[in-house]
mmCIF file of all heavy atoms in Angstrom:
data_model
loop_
_atom_site.group_PDB
_atom_site.id
_atom_site.type_symbol
_atom_site.label_atom_id
_atom_site.label_comp_id
_atom_site.label_asym_id
_atom_site.label_seq_id
_atom_site.Cartn_x
_atom_site.Cartn_y
_atom_site.Cartn_z
ATOM 1 N N ALA A 142 0.312 12.587 9.546
ATOM 2 C CA ALA A 142 -0.176 11.115 9.699
ATOM 3 C C ALA A 142 0.615 10.212 8.890
ATOM 4 O O ALA A 142 1.251 10.608 7.900
ATOM 5 C CB ALA A 142 -1.669 11.049 9.167
ATOM 6 N N PRO A 143 0.813 8.946 9.424
ATOM 7 C CA PRO A 143 1.638 7.994 8.601
ATOM 8 C C PRO A 143 0.944 7.428 7.435
ATOM 9 O O PRO A 143 -0.171 7.707 7.322
ATOM 10 C CB PRO A 143 2.056 6.972 9.744
ATOM 11 C CG PRO A 143 0.775 6.939 10.490
ATOM 12 C CD PRO A 143 0.306 8.358 10.545
ATOM 13 N N ILE A 144 1.674 6.637 6.751
ATOM 14 C CA ILE A 144 1.209 5.709 5.641
ATOM 15 C C ILE A 144 1.183 4.287 6.242
ATOM 16 O O ILE A 144 2.261 3.905 6.784
ATOM 17 C CB ILE A 144 1.862 5.736 4.422
ATOM 18 C CG1 ILE A 144 1.957 7.157 3.810
ATOM 19 C CG2 ILE A 144 1.308 4.779 3.295
ATOM 20 C CD1 ILE A 144 0.770 7.632 3.081
ATOM 21 N N VAL A 145 0.153 3.510 6.039
ATOM 22 C CA VAL A 145 0.153 2.167 6.570
ATOM 23 C C VAL A 145 -0.172 1.242 5.327
ATOM 24 O O VAL A 145 -1.006 1.571 4.580
ATOM 25 C CB VAL A 145 -0.965 1.971 7.621
ATOM 26 C CG1 VAL A 145 -1.045 0.326 7.943
ATOM 27 C CG2 VAL A 145 -0.632 2.685 8.964
ATOM 28 N N SER A 146 0.742 0.307 5.101
ATOM 29 C CA SER A 146 0.640 -0.551 3.969
ATOM 30 C C SER A 146 0.411 -2.011 4.360
ATOM 31 O O SER A 146 1.016 -2.509 5.271
ATOM 32 C CB SER A 146 1.956 -0.469 3.073
ATOM 33 O OG SER A 146 2.403 -1.730 2.581
ATOM 34 N N ILE A 147 -0.496 -2.681 3.764
ATOM 35 C CA ILE A 147 -0.733 -4.142 4.016
ATOM 36 C C ILE A 147 -0.760 -4.977 2.806
ATOM 37 O O ILE A 147 -1.322 -4.471 1.704
ATOM 38 C CB ILE A 147 -2.181 -4.328 4.772
ATOM 39 C CG1 ILE A 147 -2.024 -3.511 5.997
ATOM 40 C CG2 ILE A 147 -2.479 -5.805 4.941
ATOM 41 C CD1 ILE A 147 -2.876 -3.930 7.193
ATOM 42 N N SER A 148 0.089 -6.024 2.704
ATOM 43 C CA SER A 148 0.341 -6.677 1.551
ATOM 44 C C SER A 148 -0.428 -8.052 1.587
ATOM 45 O O SER A 148 -0.509 -8.767 2.633
ATOM 46 C CB SER A 148 1.782 -7.099 1.433
ATOM 47 O OG SER A 148 2.606 -5.880 1.113
ATOM 48 N N LEU A 149 -0.922 -8.461 0.364
ATOM 49 C CA LEU A 149 -1.844 -9.642 0.366
ATOM 50 C C LEU A 149 -1.371 -10.438 -0.883
ATOM 51 O O LEU A 149 -1.061 -9.811 -1.920
ATOM 52 C CB LEU A 149 -3.238 -9.450 0.322
ATOM 53 C CG LEU A 149 -3.848 -8.736 1.548
ATOM 54 C CD1 LEU A 149 -5.279 -8.190 1.183
ATOM 55 C CD2 LEU A 149 -3.953 -9.606 2.634
ATOM 56 N N GLY A 150 -1.355 -11.761 -0.928
ATOM 57 C CA GLY A 150 -1.044 -12.555 -2.055
ATOM 58 C C GLY A 150 0.353 -12.701 -2.353
ATOM 59 O O GLY A 150 1.175 -12.977 -1.459
ATOM 60 N N LEU A 151 0.845 -12.687 -3.581
ATOM 61 C CA LEU A 151 2.378 -12.973 -3.993
ATOM 62 C C LEU A 151 3.231 -12.063 -3.225
ATOM 63 O O LEU A 151 2.883 -10.902 -3.139
ATOM 64 C CB LEU A 151 2.367 -13.012 -5.419
ATOM 65 C CG LEU A 151 1.872 -14.084 -6.345
ATOM 66 C CD1 LEU A 151 2.135 -13.802 -7.815
ATOM 67 C CD2 LEU A 151 2.329 -15.481 -5.895
ATOM 68 N N PRO A 152 4.418 -12.540 -2.944
ATOM 69 C CA PRO A 152 5.450 -11.570 -2.433
ATOM 70 C C PRO A 152 5.944 -10.658 -3.302
ATOM 71 O O PRO A 152 6.032 -10.866 -4.568
ATOM 72 C CB PRO A 152 6.586 -12.642 -1.925
ATOM 73 C CG PRO A 152 6.337 -13.894 -2.776
ATOM 74 C CD PRO A 152 4.847 -13.933 -3.025
ATOM 75 N N ALA A 153 6.367 -9.513 -2.991
ATOM 76 C CA ALA A 153 6.839 -8.517 -3.673
ATOM 77 C C ALA A 153 8.174 -7.936 -3.067
ATOM 78 O O ALA A 153 8.463 -7.941 -1.882
ATOM 79 C CB ALA A 153 5.858 -7.305 -3.799
ATOM 80 N N LEU A 154 9.047 -7.461 -3.992
ATOM 81 C CA LEU A 154 10.220 -6.786 -3.512
ATOM 82 C C LEU A 154 9.956 -5.195 -3.450
ATOM 83 O O LEU A 154 9.744 -4.554 -4.582
ATOM 84 C CB LEU A 154 11.415 -7.059 -4.374
ATOM 85 C CG LEU A 154 11.888 -8.567 -4.304
ATOM 86 C CD1 LEU A 154 12.946 -8.858 -5.305
ATOM 87 C CD2 LEU A 154 12.387 -8.908 -2.937
ATOM 88 N N PHE A 155 9.915 -4.705 -2.294
ATOM 89 C CA PHE A 155 9.641 -3.283 -1.935
ATOM 90 C C PHE A 155 10.936 -2.479 -1.847
ATOM 91 O O PHE A 155 11.852 -2.971 -1.359
ATOM 92 C CB PHE A 155 8.988 -3.196 -0.672
ATOM 93 C CG PHE A 155 8.434 -1.890 -0.267
ATOM 94 C CD1 PHE A 155 7.342 -1.164 -0.739
ATOM 95 C CD2 PHE A 155 9.196 -1.133 0.745
ATOM 96 C CE1 PHE A 155 6.932 -0.006 -0.341
ATOM 97 C CE2 PHE A 155 8.765 0.140 1.099
ATOM 98 C CZ PHE A 155 7.632 0.679 0.673
#
Side-chain angles (χ1 to χ4, degrees):
I144 301 282
V145 172
S146 141
I147 299 211
S148 292
L149 299 166
L151 288 180
L154 292 174
F155 181 84

